[in-house]
Amino acid sequence: AFLSILRELAAYVKQFHTTGVVWNPNGNDAESAALALKSEPATSGSAASAVPPPPPLPTAAQLEQLGAPSKAGGDESTRGALFADLNKGSDITSGLRKVDRDQMTHKNPSLRAAGSVKAGASDKPAQPPAGQPAARPKRMVLENDKWVVENYGTEHLTIEATRTKQTVYMYNCNGTTLDIKNKLTGIAIDSCQKCGVVFDTLVAQCEIVNCKSVQVQTRETVPSILIDRTDGAHVFLSAAARDQTQITTAKASEVNVSFPYETERPEDDNFVEQPVPEQFQTVVKAGKLLTTVLEHTG
C-alpha cells in the first residue's frame, strides 16, 4: 500500500508540477513578500482568474483509497494477518497442538503401515533416469538352427543341442555362465563382459569379438578359436584339444591359454597357463617383412 501511495504521488507531481517549484528571480526575500501579500488589497475576479491556483493536494485518506489493492491483487487483510503472525517471534508456535506419543508414526509401526501408499493399477512403471538407456529384454530362443542368448546378467544358463548344425550366438551378457551340451557347429560370443562358456565339441570354431574378461572351456575338441578386439580372454583346452586347436588373435590383449601338461610322473601332471604374446618385432630382410615375437630375457 505504501508503494501505491508513492506511485500516485509521483503521478500527481508529473501532472501538475511538471517543471518543479518556480521562483521569481527579481522578487524580494520571503519575509517582505509575506508582508506585501497581507497588505495587498483583494484583486478583482477577472485578474484572479487569469492564473488559476493549483489544485489542492489529496488527503491521506484519498491517497490510501487510490493505493488500495484490487481483489485480483490479493487480500490485504490476509497479508496483514500473515505479517502479524511472523512478528510474534518465538510465540508463533504457541497455537500448535501437542501430539501424543500414541499418535507419532516413528514410535508406532502400525501407523506407518496404515499410512503407506500402495501402488494402484493405474500407476505407470518406473522410468529409467535421464541419460541412462532402458534395459533390454532377456532372450534365449532357438531360431531355425541358431540359438540366440541376449541381455542376461549374473545367471547360469544351459543349452542342449539336438542337431550338429545348430550354432549359438551370445550377445550383450554380463556375468553370465553358459553351459552348452552335445556336439554343434560353432559358437559366437559378441560384446559380453565377465562371462564364461563351457561346451563339449565344436565342428567349426569359437569366436570371441568385442568382449572383456571372458573365459572359454572345451570338454572335448574344438578345431579353431578366434579372438578379435577383446581385452582379457582365458581359454581352457582339454587333453584332446591341446594338440589340435589353433588360436588366432587380432587386436587382443591379456589372452591366456591353459592346458594339461603330462610328465613322466603322472602325480606331477597339472594344468599349465601360458600367455599369448602381445609384442612383436618386425625387420626387413630380402625385400620382405619378417616378424618375430619380442622376448625379454635377463
Side-chain angles (χ1 to χ4, degrees):
F2 181 72
L3 293 178
S4 300
I5 294 174
L6 293 180
R7 285 194 291 267
E8 294 296 335
L9 183 57
Y12 173 82
V13 172
K14 289 180 181 180
Q15 182 177 359
F16 298 105
H17 302 278
T18 57
T19 59
V21 181
V22 180
W23 298 93
N24 184 7
N26 300 323
N28 299 325
D29 58 301
E31 294 182 0
S32 301
L35 293 176
L37 288 176
K38 292 181 179 180
S39 61
E40 186 179 6
T43 58
S44 60
S46 59
S49 62
V51 180
L57 292 174
T59 63
Q62 292 175 343
L63 291 176
E64 291 181 359
Q65 184 178 1
L66 290 174
S70 59
K71 292 183 179 179
D75 189 1
E76 184 68 23
S77 60
T78 304
R79 189 183 307 170
L82 173 60
F83 282 106
D85 290 340
L86 292 177
N87 292 331
K88 291 181 180 179
S90 60
D91 295 337
I92 193 172
T93 58
S94 59
L96 298 179
R97 183 177 63 88
K98 184 178 180 181
V99 180
D100 298 333
R101 295 177 62 89
D102 57 349
Q103 296 177 336
M104 298 179 182
T105 56
H106 65 282
K107 295 183 180 294
N108 296 276
S110 59
L111 293 179
R112 291 198 300 268
S116 59
V117 180
K118 299 181 179 180
S122 60
D123 292 344
K124 296 181 180 179
Q127 299 294 332
Q132 181 177 351
R136 299 179 180 179
K138 301 177 182 180
R139 191 164 73 108
M140 186 171 69
V141 62
L142 177 61
E143 298 176 349
N144 297 326
D145 287 332
K146 180 180 180 181
W147 285 94
V148 178
V149 182
E150 295 180 344
N151 310 318
Y152 276 90
T154 54
E155 302 177 52
H156 186 90
L157 307 176
T158 302
I159 293 178
E160 293 189 7
T162 57
R163 299 179 59 186
T164 306
K165 294 182 178 181
Q166 291 181 353
T167 60
V168 175
Y169 178 70
M170 186 177 183
Y171 174 75
N172 193 34
C173 294
N174 192 341
T176 308
T177 301
L178 180 60
D179 188 0
I180 304 173
K181 301 182 181 298
N182 303 328
K183 186 177 181 180
L184 68 161
T185 299
I187 299 173
I189 307 171
D190 186 5
S191 302
C192 296
Q193 297 185 20
K194 300 179 181 180
C195 293
V197 178
V198 184
F199 57 89
D200 291 339
T201 304
L202 294 184
V203 177
Q205 70 176 1
C206 174
E207 299 180 11
I208 304 174
V209 183
N210 294 326
C211 294
K212 292 182 179 180
S213 303
V214 296
Q215 296 183 358
V216 175
Q217 179 179 355
T218 175
R219 298 188 185 96
E220 298 180 13
T221 59
V222 51
S224 174
I225 296 178
L226 172 62
I227 304 174
D228 186 14
R229 290 168 291 176
T230 296
D231 296 328
H234 200 154
V235 179
F236 295 87
L237 299 177
S238 63
R242 180 190 59 188
D243 300 329
Q244 301 178 6
T245 303
Q246 295 180 354
I247 300 176
T248 304
T249 61
K251 296 182 179 180
S253 62
E254 302 178 18
V255 179
N256 296 307
V257 180
S258 296
F259 51 88
Y261 179 72
E262 298 177 357
T263 62
E264 296 179 356
R265 301 175 58 184
E267 61 271 14
D268 295 336
D269 294 352
N270 200 353
F271 261 72
V272 177
E273 181 178 345
Q274 296 288 337
V276 175
E278 298 181 26
Q279 294 182 336
F280 304 92
Q281 188 177 63
T282 302
V283 296
V284 179
K285 285 189 177 181
K288 296 182 180 180
L289 296 179
L290 179 62
T291 302
T292 57
V293 176
L294 183 61
E295 297 181 359
H296 297 277
T297 58

